[in-house]
Structures are given as C-alpha cells and as structure tokens.
Amino acid sequence: MKLKTTLLAGAIAFAPLTAFAADLTIGFSQIGSESGWRAAETTVTKQEAERRGIDLKFADAQQKQENQIKAIRSFIAQGVDAILLAPVVATGWDEVLEEAQDAEIPVVLLDRTVDAPDDLYLTAVTSDLVHEGKVAGEWLAGAVGDDKCRIVELQGTTGSSPAIDRKTGFEQGIAGNDNLEIVRSQTGDFTRSQGKVVMESFLKAEGGENICALYAHNDDMAVGAIQAIKEAGLKPGEDIKIVAIDAVPDAHLAIANGEMNATIELTPNMAGPALDALEAYLANGTVPPKWIQTESRLFTSADDNQAIYEQKKDLGY
Ligand code: AHR
C-alpha cells in the first residue's frame, strides 16, 4: 500500500511504501541496443532483478523518446512500484516525470541525466560524464606531447547527456594545448556502423595523413572507425591515435592488438546501486543522494588488455 506524502519544496516527492524486494514490480525503459555497452547494461539489469526476486517489466524503446514516454505511461497504468529510466536524450521529460510523481511512483535514472527539476526523480545512477571526456582529452594531450595534432571527434547521439558532457569534458581536457585542434566533429549515434560511415567521411574530407587522432564518445564507434582506417590503408593506433569510452571487451582487444590506444571504463552495472537505493527507499523511506556516481577508470596499453578481454568477454557485452 502506498503512503500519501505532502510535497515540500526541495523534499523528496515520492511516497515510500513498505514492501519486500520479492513483492516488487519495476518497469525498465531501456533506450535500445545501440552499443555493446548498452546490451551489457540490459543483461546486468535483468540479472540483478532476478537475483533479488524483482518482477522486471522491460521495454526496449528502439532509440525513440516517444517510445520511452509510452512505456513510462504504461508502467504507471500498471501500477508498478518504481521505474528505471535510461533517457535517450536529455530534454522533454518533465511532463511524464510529473505523471509518475502524481502516481507516487519513484523514477531512477540510469547512465544518462535529464534537463528536468531534480525533485521529479528519486536519484540518478551515472558516471561523471564530463570527467570521462576530460580524462580522454588529458590522455591524448599527454600522448601527443608538443606535436601538432588534428583531431576528429565521433559524437554520441545528438541531444543525449553523454554526447553533450563528453564533448565538454574533452574540450576541457585539451584546453591550453594550442597544438591540438578538433578539425571535424559529427555524430555517429553511438553505433559501430555509423562510426565507420562517419570516419570514412572524415578520412575522405581531411586525408588520412592529416588526421592525428580520433576521439570517439564510445568504443563501438571507435571499433567501426578502426575498420574504416584499415580500409583506407592506414594503421589505427599508430597512424591515428584512438581514445574512446566504455571499456567494452572489443576495445580491450583492439588495445591489445595495438589498434586502439585508450578507453575509459563505464560500468554496465548501474542496476545494482539503483535497485539498492530503491529497495531501501521502498522498505523504510531511506532517501538516496540525488546522484549516485559510478567509477571511471582509464585503460591504456600499459594494462594487460588481453587478460581483461578474456575476463570481460563472457559478461554479456
Ligand atoms: O549512456 C551511456 C552510453 O550509451 C555508452 O557510453 C554508450 O555506449 C551507450 O550507448
């Protein structure tokens, strides 16, 4: 049974209810399966729910915000206990989040943030997306030294918080290095196929020999770009340095093979901390912090990437 709450400015806006995890029904609006990392997050979320005896209602939005809004409305109509939302883009959520709030259903954001008042969701489990970009930029600045370096950038999905924040962070990371310049920047939509297509266009427009480095907002786009670079007769990782984000198994393999140089790890286990927070909140009203930050870690050729690849490859990526 849900308890009624009085909404106070700045106070938590959802009613806690007393329930055991085994009784919980949680809706999960997932973006889709654009990347290996996304597929792993879906797998881990389903496993975490099953392990806790939670009935997880899963909805794949196939990259469309309108499908996510429909799924959330359907979860509200079904009277779920809570909603997990991985928001495809940052804007346009206020109305549906208000509907969830009116229904006293707490929403937890997974891996991406939204531009909405933070009293409309219980907490957000994400990495520091700006920091990830900054680490990538600082790594590249260090790897290049004083040489002139013309950089191409593959952005994530337009309007998504990782695309916005990883771009900002990277620019911060290379700031003050006048020898580094981003000469092309375009979305590859976080997919391998688009990463390849857009890298082909960069190579054609700039000439491969004039590109010193690629910064990709995720590993899948970097892996697609590696293929394009090879097909252009160049050596990825040598002729063109490559840094990306996620640390999926294929990125570790590419680093082990000398075809990529660095990646920053994003854990696919957002559901663990999210469900911990929800269970505590629903059981006894424990209010989590508004941001539950996951760790980011840089991997380079200094790490044993072959061994890490072997460890990670069976984890559902
Ligand atoms: O929101 C996280 C990003 O979304 C991951 O870095 C990317 O691979 C995914 O599609």
Side-chain angles (χ1 to χ4, degrees):
M1 194 190 89
K2 290 175 184 169
L3 307 173
K4 271 272 169 207
T5 47
T6 309
L7 299 191
L8 299 169
I12 189 68
F14 303 101
L17 82 158
T18 305
F20 294 107
D23 301 326
L24 295 179
T25 298
I26 294 182
F28 176 23
S29 171
Q30 178 57 294
I31 293 168
S33 50
E34 72 280 2
S35 65
W37 184 89
R38 181 71 50 201
E41 184 192 50
T42 295
T43 303
V44 172
T45 306
K46 288 179 177 174
Q47 286 169 347
E48 273 292 321
E50 194 180 342
R51 189 172 71 76
R52 296 163 191 249
I54 291 170
D55 178 14
L56 189 77
K57 298 196 176 301
F58 179 76
D60 178 338
Q62 307 200 346
Q63 313 299 316
K64 292 198 172 77
Q65 184 180 34
E66 69 207 59
N67 290 344
Q68 293 204 282
I69 291 172
K70 271 188 210 149
I72 294 168
R73 289 194 169 130
S74 159
F75 294 147
I76 295 170
Q78 291 171 65
V80 297
D81 297 303
I83 293 171
L84 299 175
L85 167 64
V88 61
V89 290
T91 56
W93 297 103
D94 296 46
E95 195 179 330
V96 76
L97 290 177
E98 278 165 15
E99 290 169 30
Q101 188 176 71
D102 289 346
E104 300 185 349
I105 298 173
V107 175
V108 173
L109 305 178
L110 292 192
D111 74 82
R112 297 186 183 183
T113 55
V114 295
D115 290 341
D118 71 3
D119 66 337
L120 291 179
Y121 55 88
L122 182 66
T123 183
V125 182
T126 77
S127 58
D128 184 335
L129 297 158
V130 174
H131 176 72
E132 290 166 345
K134 195 170 178 201
V135 170
E138 287 171 349
W139 175 84
L140 186 61
V144 166
D146 294 333
D147 294 346
K148 187 172 163 50
C149 186
R150 303 177 84 247
I151 304 162
V152 294
E153 177 182 27
L154 283 167
Q155 295 183 36
T157 300
T158 304
S160 68
S161 65
I164 297 163
D165 291 349
R166 288 173 180 169
K167 179 164 188 50
T168 302
F170 185 79
E171 287 168 0
Q172 288 173 4
I174 63 169
N177 296 278
D178 295 342
N179 54 323
L180 304 188
E181 184 192 1
I182 301 171
V183 293
R184 301 250 160 200
S185 182
Q186 200 177 310
T187 182
D189 218 7
F190 281 130
T191 67
R192 270 183 204 211
S193 55
Q194 275 306 105
K196 180 168 186 280
V197 168
V198 178
M199 189 68 205
E200 282 166 355
S201 75
F202 287 162
L203 289 162
K204 200 167 163 205
E206 292 294 326
E209 69 284 3
N210 298 317
I211 298 172
C212 148
L214 163 68
Y215 165 48
H217 291 191
N218 81 346
D219 287 339
D220 277 66
M221 293 189 292
V223 170
I226 286 172
Q227 194 56 37
I229 294 167
K230 285 195 209 169
E231 287 173 14
L234 295 165
K235 286 189 180 152
E238 278 183 42
D239 296 327
I240 298 178
K241 290 187 176 37
I242 302 175
V243 56
I245 296 167
D246 278 354
V248 298
D250 282 354
H252 289 291
L253 192 59
I255 298 174
N257 292 338
E259 294 184 338
M260 188 167 158
N261 307 87
T263 184
I264 294 121
E265 187 172 49
L266 176 69
T267 176
N269 185 12
M270 302 280 157
L275 294 176
D276 284 349
L278 271 174
E279 284 176 349
Y281 177 68
L282 293 171
N284 56 30
T286 304
V287 178
K290 275 292 159 189
W291 182 23
I292 300 175
Q293 188 185 338
T294 62
E295 277 182 30
S296 309
R297 187 189 150 186
L298 174 70
F299 288 93
T300 67
S301 57
D303 297 287
D304 186 350
N305 286 282
Q306 186 66 41
I308 300 166
Y309 167 72
E310 300 297 338
Q311 282 164 18
K312 282 190 174 179
K313 72 178 168 33
D314 296 326
L315 291 179
Y317 283 87

